[in-house]
Amino acid sequence: LQTGKTETKFRNWYVASMDGVEKRLMRRSSPSNLLFVGEEKNGQFSSKMDHLVCFLPGLLALGAENEVNAEKHMSQAKEMMETCHQMYKSMATGLSAELVYFNMNGGGEDINVHPKDKHNLLRPETAESLFILFRLTGDKRYQEYGWEMFKSFEKYCRVKGGGYTSISNVQDSNSPQPRDKMESFFLGETLKYLFLLFSDDSSLLPLDKYVLNTEAHPLPIWVPKTG
């Protein structure tokens, strides 16, 4: 996208990688049929999904907006966005664990968290995808999801003396166990994406003129010279 769609090899690589993700890693949970992306190691599938994967709804939506398998990828983007939202909503604090395991065996809960994985590091990926989905669809539910997330950050992560902290236990709203540590990406990415999400001004970093890199830095799209 940054090259103004002039380097088609990048589009081809993207299509091939998303085809591989769909065929080998996309599955559905039980009992709610949530669409998620697991992992494969030595030919064995695992229903483990890191919070980091929640950038994928935004990526798929950007691809769909730029006519890459538009209908299918936008549908997948919206479904995965709901999955990432449930990773927050299903926790007692309203904040996602660092990673989760999806139930594929029937019965029980869709989302399970192992004791060693129940921390939250204030990560930005879900906020990033919420911003992109809202900007491209105009659906205000994504602003509402982001507001719920922000309120949970305020309630469980804000430090009285200033700043925010990661927490060790998203499953205990009475004792989330603050860690006294704030990663730099919370300011540089998470809050930036939430700010953009809550703005109704589509001229603020328009997605047809800028791409946001993995650290949320806006980079202008190159306009091919003509004539």
Side-chain angles (χ1 to χ4, degrees):
L1 297 181
Q2 191 184 6
T3 68
K5 304 179 186 178
T6 59
E7 296 287 344
T8 57
K9 65 181 179 182
F10 298 124
R11 183 188 190 278
N12 295 337
W13 292 347
Y14 170 74
V15 170
S17 64
M18 289 303 101
D19 285 348
V21 167
E22 180 180 6
K23 292 174 183 175
R24 304 186 69 91
L25 303 179
M26 278 190 178
R27 299 287 193 281
R28 291 191 179 274
S29 69
S30 178
S32 301
N33 208 38
L34 299 174
L35 183 67
F36 71 94
V37 171
E39 297 182 356
E40 186 178 282
K41 185 175 182 180
N42 297 325
Q44 296 296 313
F45 178 80
S46 168
S47 65
K48 167 181 172 285
M49 177 169 149
D50 289 54
H51 182 277
L52 293 166
V53 179
C54 285
F55 84 96
L56 195 55
L59 180 69
L60 286 166
L62 280 174
E65 181 71 8
N66 287 277
E67 302 177 351
V68 180
N69 296 327
E71 185 175 350
K72 179 175 71 172
H73 280 187
M74 184 57 82
S75 176
Q76 292 170 341
K78 291 177 179 178
E79 284 200 76
M80 280 204 65
M81 192 74 264
E82 291 297 323
T83 300
C84 292
H85 172 59
Q86 289 301 321
M87 288 169 61
Y88 281 76
K89 187 178 179 181
S90 63
M91 300 299 144
T93 57
L95 294 171
S96 174
E98 177 69 1
L99 62 92
V100 303
Y101 290 83
F102 286 90
N103 175 25
M104 298 175 61
N105 300 317
E109 303 292 329
D110 288 85
I111 297 172
N112 299 295
V113 180
H114 294 179
K116 63 182 177 64
D117 304 321
K118 58 187 179 182
H119 50 286
N120 179 285
L121 301 181
L122 313 173
R123 289 198 182 276
E125 290 78 21
T126 296
E128 175 184 6
S129 286
L130 287 170
F131 158 63
I132 293 172
L133 263 292
F134 171 67
R135 184 63 68 84
L136 296 182
T137 69
D139 191 336
K140 289 189 175 293
R141 87 173 75 178
Y142 300 122
Q143 287 184 316
E144 293 167 5
Y145 290 170
W147 183 240
E148 292 172 15
M149 181 195 306
F150 179 71
K151 288 192 295 183
S152 292
F153 282 137
E154 286 287 293
K155 184 173 183 178
Y156 297 107
C157 302
R158 187 162 186 170
V159 179
K160 289 183 179 179
Y164 295 77
T165 178
S166 53
I167 59 175
S168 294
N169 191 352
V170 298
Q171 295 179 309
D172 191 340
S173 57
N174 294 316
S175 181
Q177 301 172 31
R179 290 182 160 194
D180 192 26
K181 181 179 181 181
M182 182 180 73
E183 302 286 351
S184 61
F185 54 65
F186 181 66
L187 299 179
E189 298 179 64
T190 309
L191 291 183
K192 181 187 292 184
Y193 282 124
L194 288 173
F195 173 81
L196 292 169
L197 170 64
F198 299 145
S199 172
D200 289 319
D201 182 4
S202 60
S203 67
L204 182 62
L205 288 182
L207 295 179
D208 61 344
K209 291 183 172 58
Y210 293 91
V211 294
L212 289 143
N213 72 3
T214 189
E215 299 301 326
H217 300 310
L219 303 173
I221 291 174
W222 306 338
V223 179
K225 294 181 179 179
T226 58

